[in-house]
Amino acid sequence: MKILSIQSAVAHGHVGNSAAVFPLQRIGVEVLPVYTVNFSNHTGYGAWRGPMIDPSDVREVVTGIEERGVFPQIDAVLSGYQGGEGIADVIIDAVARVKAANPDAVYACDPVMGNAKSGCFVAPAIPVLLRDKVVPVADIITPNQFELGFLTGTEPSDLQSTLASVDAARAMGPSTVLVTSVERPDCEEGTIEMLAVDDKGAWLVATPQLPMKANGSGDVTAALFTAHYVSTGDAKAALERTVSSVFDLLQRTLDSGDRELQLIESQEFYAHPRLQFTARQVR
């Protein structure tokens, strides 16, 4: 499998492509990383150095890959944090060109914009661009519950309203939706859930909620789910493998006391997920 991954990059720590590439490689995926920023560290520190990459330069890199004749071999395009406003058009164009070369290729969009606790942390124009231009051309999207609500103009708060919001998102274009953090009043105390929905049904899986905030965990989640789903076509299996790997990554990070994901130290959890969590069909 080959994935063209258009995301941010950091030298220190693991977010964007710096979080997504290695887990994908560890499960046998050939990744073509294209960078949208090249920062010293993620912006959660409040200070960073390095450039946002001009959309024209990102487009040039994509074009260079196309000129090598690689596009027919690409199985998926993956995008995450977009940085500047102009990146959306570059991604949409890249998706169209990849699909022209390989009609079976899919586009997986992680519509990164914020979360329920901190609100939006991207430029004000980005959520609107994601909603109006990017998500409609995606096949797979991986929002958290907050992002799902913004994209659909809804307020998902329990399982039924979250499923309704997913249906609204699927009506926009994507056939497959992974909601990466479902929080609802009637879930088991101390747990957090993940929901995957496609044409075949909807599956929900619960894990213990760890007392931590880990930048980059959503990027790992989107990458692994995309790869597992594209390779199997099975949302339940993809969900269970992804949740298993990401939970163990987060647990190891928590145990380490380090702020940054223990991405390399956790590599066996990607290659050989323990499958300790079972997803149940909810529709």
Side-chain angles (χ1 to χ4, degrees):
M1 182 188 298
K2 278 190 172 69
I3 292 181
L4 175 66
S5 182
I6 307 174
Q7 299 196 57
S8 58
V10 294
H12 168 65
H14 301 290
V15 300
N17 268 331
S18 302
V21 171
F22 177 68
L24 288 173
Q25 291 172 330
R26 192 63 183 82
I27 63 172
V29 175
E30 181 73 51
V31 188
L32 290 74
V34 176
Y35 302 147
T36 56
V37 308
N38 188 13
F39 288 166
S40 55
N41 51 271
H42 67 70
T43 59
Y45 284 93
W48 64 93
R49 294 181 182 271
M52 290 181 62
I53 298 175
D54 190 276
S56 63
D57 291 330
V58 180
R59 190 185 300 270
E60 281 291 291
V61 174
V62 172
T63 299
I65 296 169
E66 182 180 34
E67 290 170 346
R68 302 289 77 75
V70 180
F71 278 11
Q73 305 162 29
I74 291 176
D75 299 288
V77 179
L78 174 65
S79 72
Y81 174 73
Q82 296 197 7
E85 296 176 29
I87 296 296
D89 286 333
V90 176
I91 292 170
I92 292 168
D93 180 58
V95 168
R97 287 151 65 186
V98 167
K99 288 190 170 191
N102 177 13
D104 293 328
V106 301
Y107 170 37
C109 170
D110 185 9
V112 178
M113 60 182 79
N115 56 61
K117 288 177 181 166
S118 59
C120 280
F121 50 65
V122 296
I126 297 294
V128 177
L129 275 171
L130 286 167
R131 181 190 65 200
D132 296 347
K133 294 185 71 173
V134 183
V135 166
V137 302
D139 301 289
I140 301 168
I141 60 171
T142 59
N144 59 38
Q145 200 170 19
F146 170 83
E147 292 160 343
L148 176 66
F150 178 88
L151 291 171
T152 56
T154 60
E155 295 185 5
S157 57
D158 57 18
L159 182 57
Q160 289 311 309
S161 63
T162 302
L163 284 167
S165 297
V166 168
D167 290 340
R170 294 180 74 232
M172 296 167 66
S175 57
T176 303
V177 177
L178 176 72
V179 187
T180 58
S181 58
V182 178
E183 298 188 62
R184 56 191 179 97
D186 51 341
C187 72
E188 186 179 343
E189 187 175 353
T191 65
I192 191 165
E193 295 168 321
M194 203 176 288
L195 173 71
V197 183
D198 68 0
D199 291 339
K200 298 173 186 174
W203 289 266
L204 187 73
V205 64
T207 71
Q209 185 165 18
L210 298 174
M212 64 185 299
K213 176 180 181 292
N215 294 86
S217 57
D219 303 320
V220 176
T221 301
L224 288 176
F225 180 81
T226 297
H228 289 314
Y229 186 73
V230 170
S231 65
T232 66
D234 185 331
K236 180 178 185 286
L239 178 62
E240 290 174 343
R241 291 180 190 179
T242 300
V243 165
S244 172
S245 299
V246 173
F247 179 82
D248 281 341
L249 165 64
L250 291 174
Q251 184 68 65
R252 174 159 288 185
T253 301
L254 178 64
D255 293 344
S256 76
D258 198 304
R259 175 172 182 168
E260 295 291 347
L261 289 177
Q262 301 297 289
L263 194 81
I264 310 304
E265 296 84 348
S266 302
Q267 59 182 286
E268 286 305 307
F269 299 139
Y270 324 135
H272 307 290
R274 292 192 295 137
L275 299 177
Q276 67 273 44
F277 306 110
T278 301
R280 63 184 178 94
Q281 189 162 6
V282 292
R283 194 169 69 186

